[in-house]
């Protein structure tokens, strides 16, 4: 920085400080400055309006949601152990394209209640249905990533009749992640037990290791880790409840979605990266699309599990083309 610019910056800072000081001294002496400034801040509390958008389900769980824009609604269902913030790149993109975008924080995740129970796909789908009904969303496109893809599958299969136009399953867990006699290509239970053990032992460290490594493919040779992306993943994860995250591992790994997939008749796009180290595509996307009545498969060479973030430019355009089709 040059001496001239430094001098200008210093003069600007002093001028700003003087202005703030003058404003503060003009306030009544008996009123703290912070309290006085609050008088000028916009607020909706006096009108009885909640500062955040939430609904309360039948079992008393408070579910947080975002609702931006106008037009055909697109509902975003996030992955484990994140929040609707993981869809920032998509929600900003689609609201600018003239759509109404809704993001839901799953129970126990993000800003929703850290309740003890109900961390299973039936409750997740029912919670999503409660938000949809509260907002009276119709002709909606539901997009789910990873665990959110399982949530979309169960929601559309059981609650979506008459309200859903299309669905997208991205890097999604259906039809079944766990290895069983009828699903020999799945992952052994020891993998998920390892996740549970790591979470229980040191959740904060585990939530650094996952995004630093396999989630975004930052462990691949030549990959350049993005610290902001890693920290944002950690931030979202640590906002949620440890018990919800622990229980959710069983929900996303052991839930069988075969019958749900068979029941879905709306156009459904199945998107998956072939370098997904979290949900291997051969036992997920390739099987899911065979069960769907109206499914379309798109495999992305070299893309990781978190491709909605690392390759948002590609993903957003493909999503837009599908929504418009």
């Amino acid at each position: 920085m040059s001496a001239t610019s430094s001098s200008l910056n210093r003069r600007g800072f002093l001028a700003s400080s003087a202005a703030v000081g003058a404003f503060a001294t003009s306030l009544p002496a008996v009123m703290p400055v912070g309290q006085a400034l609050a008088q000028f801040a916009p607020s909706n509390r006096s009108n009885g309006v909640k500062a955040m958008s939430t609904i309360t389900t039948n079992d008393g769980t408070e579910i947080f949601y975002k609702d931006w824009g106008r037009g055909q609604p697109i509902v975003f269902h996030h992955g484990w152990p994140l929040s609707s913030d993981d869809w920032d790149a998509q929600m900003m993109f689609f609201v600018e394209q003239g759509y109404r975008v809704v993001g839901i924080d799953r129970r126990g995740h993000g800003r929703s209640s850290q309740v003890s129970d109900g961390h299973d796909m039936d409750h997740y789908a029912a919670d999503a249905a409660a938000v949809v009904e509260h907002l009276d969303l119709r002709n909606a496109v539901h997009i789910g990533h990873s665990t959110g893809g399982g949530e979309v599958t169960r929601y559309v299969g059981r609650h979506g009749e008459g309200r859903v136009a299309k669905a997208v399953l991205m890097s999604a867990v259906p039809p079944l992640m766990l290895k069983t006699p009828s699903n020999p290509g799945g992952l052994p239970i020891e993998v998920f037990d390892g996740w549970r053990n790591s979470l229980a032992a040191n959740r904060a460290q585990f939530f650094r290791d996952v995004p630093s490594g396999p989630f975004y493919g930052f462990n691949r040779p030549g990959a350049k880790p993005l610290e902001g992306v890693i920290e944002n993943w950690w931030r979202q994860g640590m906002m949620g409840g440890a018990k919800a995250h622990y229980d959710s591992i069983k929900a996303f790994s052991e839930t069988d979605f075969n019958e749900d997939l068979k029941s879905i008749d709306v156009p459904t796009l199945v998107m998956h990266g072939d370098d997904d180290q979290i949900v291997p595509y051969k036992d997920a996307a390739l099987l899911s699309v065979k069960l769907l009545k109206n499914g379309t498969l798109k495999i992305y060479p070299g893309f990781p599990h978190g491709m909605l973030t690392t390759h948002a430019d590609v993903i957003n355009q493909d999503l837009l083309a599908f929504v418009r089709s």
Side-chain angles (χ1 to χ4, degrees):
M1 180 181 293
S2 68
T4 301
S5 63
S6 177
S7 176
L8 289 172
N9 287 342
R10 184 164 55 252
R11 287 201 298 272
F13 171 77
L14 291 173
S16 298
S17 299
V20 171
F23 173 69
T25 56
S26 70
L27 299 171
V30 296
M31 182 180 293
V33 173
Q35 181 181 341
L37 290 173
Q39 290 188 125
F40 298 92
S43 173
N44 57 17
R45 292 182 182 177
S46 60
N47 298 324
V49 179
K50 282 189 176 182
M52 297 201 314
S53 300
T54 61
I55 64 160
T56 302
T57 65
N58 291 335
D59 68 353
T61 302
E62 193 169 71
I63 302 296
F64 170 88
Y65 66 89
K66 304 173 187 177
D67 181 10
W68 304 340
R70 294 177 176 84
Q72 182 182 11
I74 302 177
V75 184
F76 293 91
H77 305 250
H78 64 81
W80 175 94
L82 306 174
S83 74
S84 57
D85 291 356
D86 201 42
W87 288 110
D88 280 354
Q90 287 69 42
M91 292 184 68
M92 291 292 290
F93 173 80
F94 276 99
V95 78
E96 291 174 358
Q97 295 293 324
Y99 292 89
R100 179 182 182 181
V101 295
V102 176
I104 305 170
D105 284 8
R106 188 171 301 118
R107 65 168 57 208
H109 296 64
R111 288 140 292 205
S112 291
S113 296
Q114 292 193 20
V115 292
S116 176
D117 302 315
H119 307 297
D120 55 73
M121 284 295 166
D122 287 350
H123 279 86
Y124 296 162
D127 293 345
V131 174
V132 168
E133 291 168 11
H134 173 73
L135 298 176
D136 194 24
L137 304 180
R138 299 181 185 277
N139 193 38
V141 179
H142 286 261
I143 302 177
H145 174 251
S146 195
T147 300
E151 183 179 300
V152 167
T153 301
R154 181 134 299 177
Y155 166 77
V156 176
R158 297 191 180 182
H159 304 277
E161 186 174 358
R163 290 186 179 270
V164 177
K166 295 178 180 179
V168 178
L169 308 180
M170 185 188 304
S171 310
V173 298
L176 174 62
M177 283 195 74
L178 183 67
K179 181 178 181 178
T180 65
S182 60
N183 187 44
L187 297 173
I189 190 66
E190 288 78 14
V191 171
F192 305 109
D193 286 342
W195 293 359
R196 278 183 277 261
N197 292 339
S198 295
L199 189 152
N202 190 337
R203 182 169 66 128
Q205 185 60 52
F206 183 46
F207 284 3
R208 285 284 302 181
D209 296 341
V210 174
S212 299
F215 197 93
Y216 295 112
F218 291 153
N219 57 343
R220 293 307 196 199
K224 296 180 179 179
L226 300 174
E227 194 60 31
V229 169
I230 295 169
E231 291 180 359
N232 190 41
W233 200 101
W234 185 90
R235 174 191 68 84
Q236 292 179 69
M238 295 305 292
M239 284 172 66
K243 187 176 188 300
H245 294 158
Y246 188 94
D247 291 352
S248 189
I249 294 173
K250 178 180 178 67
F252 72 66
S253 65
E254 298 183 33
T255 302
D256 189 329
F257 296 99
N258 278 271
E259 296 305 315
D260 301 282
L261 290 164
K262 293 175 184 177
S263 70
I264 296 174
D265 56 10
V266 298
T268 303
L269 176 62
V270 180
M271 313 169 75
H272 221 114
D274 72 358
D275 194 32
D276 190 324
Q277 301 173 66
I278 304 295
V279 182
Y281 79 103
K282 290 183 179 179
D283 196 55
L286 299 191
L287 300 182
S288 290
V289 75
K290 293 178 180 178
L291 297 171
L292 292 163
K293 294 183 176 72
N294 193 3
T296 301
L297 177 66
K298 191 168 183 63
I299 299 297
Y300 295 84
F303 282 22
H305 187 65
M307 63 184 185
L308 75 164
T309 300
T310 59
H311 297 80
D313 54 340
V314 175
I315 297 302
N316 288 354
Q317 291 299 328
D318 287 351
L319 287 173
L320 180 63
F322 175 70
V323 170
R324 287 178 171 174
S325 65

